[in-house]
Each structure stands twice: as structure tokens, then as C-alpha cells.
Amino acid sequence: MNEKQLAAEKSTEFIKDGMTIGLGTGSTVFFLVNKLAGLVKQGLKIKCTSTSNRTSELAKSLGIDIVDLNEIDHIDLTIDGADEVDNNLNGIKGGGGALLFEKIVAKASDKVIWIVDSSKYVKQLGKFPLPVEVITFGSNHLFKKFLEFGYKPVKREVAGKVFITDSGNEIFDLHLNEIKDSIKLEKDIKLLCGVVEVGLFNNIADMVIIGRNNSTEIIERIK
Ligand code: 5RP
């Protein structure tokens, strides 16, 4: 089993009958959804909501019902991947372009667990390009501002076409290399007109499950 699958399968131990679960997005969550589908077939009773069309389609194809977030009064636990996480359990997300829904779902959750392979656990955030979701209207002007600020933005493209998120927005990936103050940076970027969301997830994860070699390591936020 690879590290992503190890972390994903371990996280299902925190899911109990009757819970409402937020499902993240990405290749690590793929293993989670597959494992969950097996558990649901065996009789686990859960309600799920999703952070992307991609995850919803996968879950439904495996027999897991997805409920709209507005139909749910609270989420007990959200399990999601991450692109980088530091030892304060702050992280970068949005590599798969689902950062906006991921943050909304995480903020509506009583508990958030991230599942990652060992390469994602870093001393300092920033090597992974920081995704920022922006509205398409006038985005070239905002792009120039990001250049002026020295954020080294790159407009995300897939197969030569501008990448569009599930909410119809674009993504700028900021090649910062290092992020010294992730709290300040999240606020600074969020204040720019046209920015919808920043892929900095500060003080959101309660637990990180890291797949390492043939095992898993759990790190919990100190409250
Ligand atoms: C999607 C995300 C993903 O959780 C993140 O990119 C990790 O993906 P993967 O599990 O494929 O490595 O934030 O927006």
C-alpha cells in the first residue's frame, strides 16, 4: 500500500455510525472514498457532503450519496488531502483546484483531518506554489498586481486552456518558495479585490495523518 492509501485508510477509523462527513478532493481522498464505499456496503451509516464535482462523481459512482452542504446543519468530520503541511498544522491546499469549497466545508466542520504522504510534511510552507482563486472578470489586471508584489504568479492552465474551478473562477499559482508568515499572507492576499479565496489553510486542521513508509504517524493540534 502506498503512503497516501495508508493515511486515507487510517482516517476511516475516526468515522463512526451516524456521522456527517465532509469529503475532500484529490488523489489521497480517492483512496478514502474507495475505502468508505466498502464500509458503507458493509453497513456503516453516514451522511456525506463533498468539496468538488470530482469527488461527488466518484462517491456517487461507488454508491455513496452526496448531500448538498445547505441541506446539512453541521459536519462532524471532514477528511481532506493537503499539498503541504507544517508542524503548526497550517497548510497549503488547492493543488487540485478545489480550495474554495474545501475551505467552506472545513470551516463548517467540528473536526478536520488531513491525510498526506510523508513528502507533504515540511518545515516551512511555500515550496509548493500557493493557489489563489480569483474571479475571471478583469483577472489580467489582478495578475499584474501580483507580479508587482513579487508573488511570482502563474495562471493555471490545463492542456493549454485556462483552468476553471467548479465555481467558474481562475487560479493563480504563486511561486513564493518560502512563506515566513502564513497568517499575514493569507490576510494580505484575501484583501485584494477580485480574490475569492487563498489556498493557505491556517488553524483549520485538527489532526494530520501522515503515511510514512509502511505505517502512519498522527499529529494533533495542541488546543
Ligand atoms: C485539492 C487539494 C488536495 O487536497 C491537494 O491538492 C492534495 O492532493 P493529492 O491528495 O492529490 O496529493 O487541495 O484542491
Side-chain angles (χ1 to χ4, degrees):
M1 217 185 272
N2 70 37
E3 292 185 342
K4 288 186 178 192
Q5 187 170 1
L6 278 168
E9 297 206 355
K10 181 77 184 169
S11 72
T12 61
E13 292 177 16
F14 296 88
I15 298 176
K16 304 282 174 263
D17 245 353
M19 278 186 163
T20 299
I21 304 295
L23 299 174
T25 297
S27 57
T28 317
V29 166
F30 170 84
F31 292 114
L32 166 70
V33 176
N34 274 278
K35 176 75 182 175
L36 262 188
L39 295 172
V40 166
K41 280 200 184 87
Q42 286 165 27
L44 177 71
K45 298 264 178 299
I46 49 170
K47 209 186 264 182
C48 291
T49 194
S50 164
T51 55
S52 62
N53 294 340
R54 184 174 151 195
T55 295
S56 298
E57 278 159 23
L58 173 67
K60 286 179 193 164
S61 75
L62 295 170
I64 300 175
D65 283 341
I66 296 294
V67 185
D68 189 280
L69 182 55
N70 277 343
E71 307 297 318
I72 288 170
D73 57 13
H74 83 288
I75 301 170
D76 295 295
L77 170 64
T78 285
I79 305 176
D80 201 350
D83 298 302
E84 277 185 350
V85 53
D86 68 13
N87 60 3
N88 294 315
L89 269 55
N90 294 329
I92 291 181
K93 286 184 48 55
L99 63 147
L100 175 59
F101 289 0
E102 288 172 340
K103 208 180 256 190
I104 291 171
V105 167
K107 295 228 175 207
S109 305
D110 294 347
K111 182 172 178 152
V112 174
I113 297 178
W114 285 346
I115 46 179
V116 295
D117 66 48
S118 58
S119 70
K120 310 271 186 83
Y121 189 56
V122 297
K123 283 208 170 67
Q124 188 174 42
L125 300 176
K127 284 267 180 307
F128 190 92
L130 174 64
V132 178
E133 184 157 344
V134 305
I135 64 163
T136 55
F137 181 79
S139 66
N140 288 349
H141 295 268
L142 187 55
F143 190 83
K144 273 193 224 148
K145 283 242 160 10
F146 275 81
L147 281 173
E148 282 162 26
F149 291 145
Y151 287 156
K152 302 195 173 82
V154 173
K155 267 197 188 207
R156 191 178 297 184
E157 292 187 359
V158 173
K161 287 199 177 138
V162 174
F163 175 85
I164 299 293
T165 68
D166 285 352
S167 332
N169 301 310
E170 290 176 35
I171 301 244
F172 296 166
D173 290 303
L174 311 187
H175 291 250
L176 300 168
N177 199 41
E178 55 173 13
I179 295 172
K180 292 208 171 99
D181 186 342
S182 65
I183 309 277
K184 181 173 183 306
L185 186 64
E186 182 186 7
K187 284 190 187 138
D188 287 352
I189 295 176
K190 195 87 196 263
L191 281 174
L192 298 170
C193 184
V195 167
V196 180
E197 196 46 83
V198 188
L200 274 169
F201 282 50
N202 294 308
N203 299 315
I204 287 182
D206 301 289
M207 178 189 284
V208 178
I209 303 179
I210 305 168
R212 197 181 289 288
N213 302 319
N214 296 316
S215 182
T216 51
E217 189 182 321
I218 294 183
I219 303 174
E220 282 193 83
R221 180 177 296 281
I222 301 154
K223 306 217 170 170

